[in-house]
Amino acid sequence: MRASWKIVAGMVLAAGLVAAPAAAAERVLVAGATGRTGAALMVELKKQGYDVRGLVRDAARAKEELGEGYELVEADVRKKRQVAAAFAGGVDYVISAIGSRGWVGANSPQFVDYVGTKNLADAAKAAGVKHFVVISVGNAGPAYDHASNAALGYLGYWKTRGEDAVKASGVAYTIVGPGGLEDGEQTTKGIKLTSRADYKTARINVGDTAMLAIDALKNPGQRNKSYGAVHDAALPRDAWKQAVAGLSEEKLGLPPLVIDQEKMVSIDALDPADAPIQRFMFTAYGIWFRGQEIAIPGSDAMFCTVSNEHNTLLNWFPRDRAWKFQVLYDPDADTPSGALATCEKRAPG
């Protein structure tokens, strides 16, 4: 039977035919959804019609802060299985706005900015995510010598390690490196985007940072790009769109740590004593550790990185002007604590 057609209020309707259901909204997982930038992302994504899922540590508290209308899943980004579970049911895009909240302890950059970001990257790859956006900082990445910056080198190092995990995952990515963050919604100010090698410290607010991150989800010009972003009143509002399209893809920021397969019973250098980077391996309480030391120019101190993923901390001691690493107690691995070592410059030979 032929369907009869009517034109009503400018719309064509077919009598007896059922309209096709609307396509499901694409889902964006926002990690760090209750932070300043994360909250701005949640609001703006919802306005733009995305299905928004917030990854939070405490759903009840997040609901109080964000209000109704958001899907919230509880997960600790430092715990791989919890992060993987947060992708249940499918996720199209990920925006990570996580950030460490201290220099020492389980909320330090090693565990949040590196381990947390790596866990998200691994889960995104397994879930077939279309695009992963990291909101990092302008002065992280391969353009910076983190070892020579006693104040922020520790943070920059672990943020760069996290970014490298995303770059190496095979998932399309964008790394947004905002300048000093200020509160505020989107503005009409000009935004200056640069490679991070050319980044100069300035300010930008969370609303405009969120706008850049959301644009990256579907903008081919932002695919596999990393950049610094600051306000610049001298620029037209949309000047950043042409700037980002002209940026080159950023290489990995750090050489991978090489794991020597030989069992070590004490700290042993894996490189000549006069090498600029000295890799080493040691055991503590039966746990194998690996790491590397990099000389800080003009100093007798060394920049140390040590990792067995979850059982070490790297701390800067300003009074001693030294980096120290500590073996932690991990109840799940039954690892005792107490091993503390300082990186010291070794004489050749």
Side-chain angles (χ1 to χ4, degrees), residues 277-299:
I277 297 178
Q278 294 187 359
R279 292 168 297 120
F280 58 87
M281 210 165 184
F282 70 99
T283 60
Y285 303 107
I287 304 299
W288 293 6
F289 293 85
R290 60 191 182 275
Q292 62 183 11
E293 301 177 349
I294 307 171
I296 298 177
S299 169

mmCIF file of all heavy atoms in Angstrom, residues 277-299:
data_model
loop_
_atom_site.group_PDB
_atom_site.id
_atom_site.type_symbol
_atom_site.label_atom_id
_atom_site.label_comp_id
_atom_site.label_asym_id
_atom_site.label_seq_id
_atom_site.Cartn_x
_atom_site.Cartn_y
_atom_site.Cartn_z
ATOM 1 N N ILE A 277 73.684 9.847 30.794
ATOM 2 C CA ILE A 277 72.545 9.148 31.394
ATOM 3 C C ILE A 277 73.041 7.795 31.873
ATOM 4 O O ILE A 277 73.619 7.033 31.092
ATOM 5 C CB ILE A 277 71.396 8.979 30.398
ATOM 6 C CG1 ILE A 277 70.852 10.342 29.959
ATOM 7 C CG2 ILE A 277 70.278 8.135 31.006
ATOM 8 C CD1 ILE A 277 69.741 10.250 28.941
ATOM 9 N N GLN A 278 72.838 7.514 33.139
ATOM 10 C CA GLN A 278 73.282 6.241 33.690
ATOM 11 C C GLN A 278 72.061 5.431 34.121
ATOM 12 O O GLN A 278 71.309 5.844 34.999
ATOM 13 C CB GLN A 278 74.215 6.469 34.886
ATOM 14 C CG GLN A 278 75.525 7.134 34.491
ATOM 15 C CD GLN A 278 76.503 7.198 35.642
ATOM 16 O OE1 GLN A 278 76.192 6.766 36.743
ATOM 17 N NE2 GLN A 278 77.677 7.729 35.374
ATOM 18 N N ARG A 279 71.896 4.299 33.471
ATOM 19 C CA ARG A 279 70.807 3.402 33.853
ATOM 20 C C ARG A 279 71.339 2.394 34.870
ATOM 21 O O ARG A 279 72.505 2.019 34.835
ATOM 22 C CB ARG A 279 70.283 2.678 32.609
ATOM 23 C CG ARG A 279 69.580 3.588 31.619
ATOM 24 C CD ARG A 279 69.346 2.905 30.281
ATOM 25 N NE ARG A 279 70.602 2.561 29.642
ATOM 26 C CZ ARG A 279 70.946 1.314 29.321
ATOM 27 N NH1 ARG A 279 70.144 0.298 29.593
ATOM 28 N NH2 ARG A 279 72.104 1.067 28.732
ATOM 29 N N PHE A 280 70.473 1.996 35.753
ATOM 30 C CA PHE A 280 70.905 1.067 36.788
ATOM 31 C C PHE A 280 69.761 0.159 37.185
ATOM 32 O O PHE A 280 68.602 0.389 36.832
ATOM 33 C CB PHE A 280 71.414 1.821 38.025
ATOM 34 C CG PHE A 280 70.400 2.749 38.634
ATOM 35 C CD1 PHE A 280 69.488 2.290 39.583
ATOM 36 C CD2 PHE A 280 70.345 4.077 38.257
ATOM 37 C CE1 PHE A 280 68.559 3.138 40.142
ATOM 38 C CE2 PHE A 280 69.420 4.935 38.816
ATOM 39 C CZ PHE A 280 68.524 4.464 39.756
ATOM 40 N N MET A 281 70.100 -0.875 37.921
ATOM 41 C CA MET A 281 69.101 -1.827 38.391
ATOM 42 C C MET A 281 69.502 -2.301 39.777
ATOM 43 O O MET A 281 70.690 -2.402 40.094
ATOM 44 C CB MET A 281 69.009 -3.003 37.428
ATOM 45 C CG MET A 281 67.638 -3.625 37.366
ATOM 46 S SD MET A 281 67.468 -4.705 35.921
ATOM 47 C CE MET A 281 65.753 -5.131 36.108
ATOM 48 N N PHE A 282 68.522 -2.569 40.616
ATOM 49 C CA PHE A 282 68.838 -3.076 41.943
ATOM 50 C C PHE A 282 67.623 -3.815 42.494
ATOM 51 O O PHE A 282 66.519 -3.748 41.937
ATOM 52 C CB PHE A 282 69.228 -1.938 42.893
ATOM 53 C CG PHE A 282 68.091 -1.032 43.280
ATOM 54 C CD1 PHE A 282 67.447 -1.202 44.503
ATOM 55 C CD2 PHE A 282 67.677 -0.019 42.443
ATOM 56 C CE1 PHE A 282 66.415 -0.366 44.875
ATOM 57 C CE2 PHE A 282 66.638 0.822 42.808
ATOM 58 C CZ PHE A 282 66.011 0.648 44.022
ATOM 59 N N THR A 283 67.827 -4.545 43.574
ATOM 60 C CA THR A 283 66.724 -5.206 44.258
ATOM 61 C C THR A 283 66.603 -4.660 45.670
ATOM 62 O O THR A 283 67.594 -4.305 46.299
ATOM 63 C CB THR A 283 66.942 -6.731 44.335
ATOM 64 O OG1 THR A 283 68.149 -6.990 45.041
ATOM 65 C CG2 THR A 283 67.017 -7.337 42.955
ATOM 66 N N ALA A 284 65.380 -4.580 46.130
ATOM 67 C CA ALA A 284 65.116 -4.154 47.508
ATOM 68 C C ALA A 284 63.969 -5.003 48.025
ATOM 69 O O ALA A 284 62.886 -4.988 47.437
ATOM 70 C CB ALA A 284 64.769 -2.672 47.569
ATOM 71 N N TYR A 285 64.221 -5.758 49.069
ATOM 72 C CA TYR A 285 63.203 -6.637 49.642
ATOM 73 C C TYR A 285 62.667 -7.626 48.603
ATOM 74 O O TYR A 285 61.478 -7.947 48.577
ATOM 75 C CB TYR A 285 62.060 -5.826 50.242
ATOM 76 C CG TYR A 285 62.492 -4.842 51.285
ATOM 77 C CD1 TYR A 285 62.506 -3.481 51.013
ATOM 78 C CD2 TYR A 285 62.920 -5.265 52.539
ATOM 79 C CE1 TYR A 285 62.912 -2.569 51.960
ATOM 80 C CE2 TYR A 285 63.332 -4.364 53.492
ATOM 81 C CZ TYR A 285 63.329 -3.014 53.213
ATOM 82 O OH TYR A 285 63.745 -2.117 54.150
ATOM 83 N N GLY A 286 63.529 -8.059 47.716
ATOM 84 C CA GLY A 286 63.115 -9.037 46.722
ATOM 85 C C GLY A 286 62.403 -8.461 45.519
ATOM 86 O O GLY A 286 61.986 -9.204 44.637
ATOM 87 N N ILE A 287 62.237 -7.135 45.470
ATOM 88 C CA ILE A 287 61.561 -6.491 44.346
ATOM 89 C C ILE A 287 62.612 -5.892 43.421
ATOM 90 O O ILE A 287 63.529 -5.218 43.874
ATOM 91 C CB ILE A 287 60.607 -5.388 44.838
ATOM 92 C CG1 ILE A 287 59.600 -5.960 45.847
ATOM 93 C CG2 ILE A 287 59.880 -4.747 43.660
ATOM 94 C CD1 ILE A 287 58.707 -7.038 45.297
ATOM 95 N N TRP A 288 62.477 -6.098 42.128
ATOM 96 C CA TRP A 288 63.410 -5.528 41.167
ATOM 97 C C TRP A 288 62.995 -4.102 40.819
ATOM 98 O O TRP A 288 61.828 -3.814 40.607
ATOM 99 C CB TRP A 288 63.418 -6.349 39.878
ATOM 100 C CG TRP A 288 63.980 -7.722 40.021
ATOM 101 C CD1 TRP A 288 64.371 -8.352 41.170
ATOM 102 C CD2 TRP A 288 64.206 -8.650 38.964
ATOM 103 N NE1 TRP A 288 64.823 -9.604 40.910
ATOM 104 C CE2 TRP A 288 64.734 -9.822 39.560
ATOM 105 C CE3 TRP A 288 64.020 -8.616 37.598
ATOM 106 C CZ2 TRP A 288 65.081 -10.937 38.803
ATOM 107 C CZ3 TRP A 288 64.360 -9.723 36.847
ATOM 108 C CH2 TRP A 288 64.884 -10.875 37.453
ATOM 109 N N PHE A 289 63.964 -3.234 40.764
ATOM 110 C CA PHE A 289 63.727 -1.852 40.359
ATOM 111 C C PHE A 289 64.663 -1.495 39.218
ATOM 112 O O PHE A 289 65.759 -2.040 39.110
ATOM 113 C CB PHE A 289 63.961 -0.880 41.530
ATOM 114 C CG PHE A 289 62.968 -1.038 42.633
ATOM 115 C CD1 PHE A 289 63.156 -1.993 43.625
ATOM 116 C CD2 PHE A 289 61.841 -0.249 42.684
ATOM 117 C CE1 PHE A 289 62.233 -2.148 44.645
ATOM 118 C CE2 PHE A 289 60.910 -0.399 43.697
ATOM 119 C CZ PHE A 289 61.102 -1.349 44.680
ATOM 120 N N ARG A 290 64.238 -0.577 38.407
ATOM 121 C CA ARG A 290 65.081 -0.078 37.328
ATOM 122 C C ARG A 290 64.995 1.442 37.327
ATOM 123 O O ARG A 290 64.014 2.027 37.781
ATOM 124 C CB ARG A 290 64.629 -0.629 35.979
ATOM 125 C CG ARG A 290 63.184 -0.261 35.618
ATOM 126 C CD ARG A 290 62.696 -1.039 34.418
ATOM 127 N NE ARG A 290 61.355 -0.670 34.024
ATOM 128 C CZ ARG A 290 60.241 -1.180 34.549
ATOM 129 N NH1 ARG A 290 60.329 -2.093 35.501
ATOM 130 N NH2 ARG A 290 59.052 -0.797 34.130
ATOM 131 N N GLY A 291 66.005 2.088 36.798
ATOM 132 C CA GLY A 291 65.957 3.537 36.787
ATOM 133 C C GLY A 291 67.073 4.137 35.974
ATOM 134 O O GLY A 291 67.845 3.431 35.319
ATOM 135 N N GLN A 292 67.152 5.451 36.021
ATOM 136 C CA GLN A 292 68.228 6.137 35.332
ATOM 137 C C GLN A 292 68.557 7.416 36.088
ATOM 138 O O GLN A 292 67.716 7.978 36.784
ATOM 139 C CB GLN A 292 67.866 6.448 33.879
ATOM 140 C CG GLN A 292 66.671 7.378 33.700
ATOM 141 C CD GLN A 292 66.343 7.564 32.239
ATOM 142 O OE1 GLN A 292 66.858 6.874 31.375
ATOM 143 N NE2 GLN A 292 65.485 8.520 31.945
ATOM 144 N N GLU A 293 69.803 7.849 35.965
ATOM 145 C CA GLU A 293 70.274 9.078 36.585
ATOM 146 C C GLU A 293 70.744 10.019 35.492
ATOM 147 O O GLU A 293 71.400 9.609 34.545
ATOM 148 C CB GLU A 293 71.446 8.796 37.531
ATOM 149 C CG GLU A 293 71.124 7.828 38.652
ATOM 150 C CD GLU A 293 72.345 7.523 39.506
ATOM 151 O OE1 GLU A 293 73.456 7.902 39.102
ATOM 152 O OE2 GLU A 293 72.191 6.908 40.570
ATOM 153 N N ILE A 294 70.402 11.290 35.627
ATOM 154 C CA ILE A 294 70.832 12.303 34.661
ATOM 155 C C ILE A 294 71.478 13.433 35.448
ATOM 156 O O ILE A 294 70.880 13.974 36.374
ATOM 157 C CB ILE A 294 69.637 12.844 33.849
ATOM 158 C CG1 ILE A 294 68.859 11.688 33.204
ATOM 159 C CG2 ILE A 294 70.097 13.837 32.802
ATOM 160 C CD1 ILE A 294 67.554 12.109 32.575
ATOM 161 N N ALA A 295 72.682 13.813 35.078
ATOM 162 C CA ALA A 295 73.380 14.882 35.791
ATOM 163 C C ALA A 295 72.654 16.209 35.600
ATOM 164 O O ALA A 295 72.207 16.540 34.497
ATOM 165 C CB ALA A 295 74.809 14.993 35.280
ATOM 166 N N ILE A 296 72.517 16.988 36.665
ATOM 167 C CA ILE A 296 71.954 18.327 36.590
ATOM 168 C C ILE A 296 73.101 19.293 36.301
ATOM 169 O O ILE A 296 74.052 19.374 37.078
ATOM 170 C CB ILE A 296 71.251 18.716 37.902
ATOM 171 C CG1 ILE A 296 70.087 17.743 38.159
ATOM 172 C CG2 ILE A 296 70.750 20.148 37.845
ATOM 173 C CD1 ILE A 296 69.375 17.976 39.456
ATOM 174 N N PRO A 297 73.076 20.015 35.198
ATOM 175 C CA PRO A 297 74.191 20.897 34.842
ATOM 176 C C PRO A 297 74.537 21.877 35.962
ATOM 177 O O PRO A 297 73.649 22.463 36.585
ATOM 178 C CB PRO A 297 73.668 21.639 33.603
ATOM 179 C CG PRO A 297 72.656 20.719 33.013
ATOM 180 C CD PRO A 297 72.015 20.039 34.187
ATOM 181 N N GLY A 298 75.838 22.020 36.234
ATOM 182 C CA GLY A 298 76.292 22.958 37.244
ATOM 183 C C GLY A 298 76.036 22.522 38.664
ATOM 184 O O GLY A 298 76.037 23.331 39.586
ATOM 185 N N SER A 299 75.781 21.244 38.856
ATOM 186 C CA SER A 299 75.452 20.760 40.184
ATOM 187 C C SER A 299 76.087 19.400 40.391
ATOM 188 O O SER A 299 76.382 18.678 39.442
ATOM 189 C CB SER A 299 73.931 20.658 40.358
ATOM 190 O OG SER A 299 73.598 19.965 41.542
#
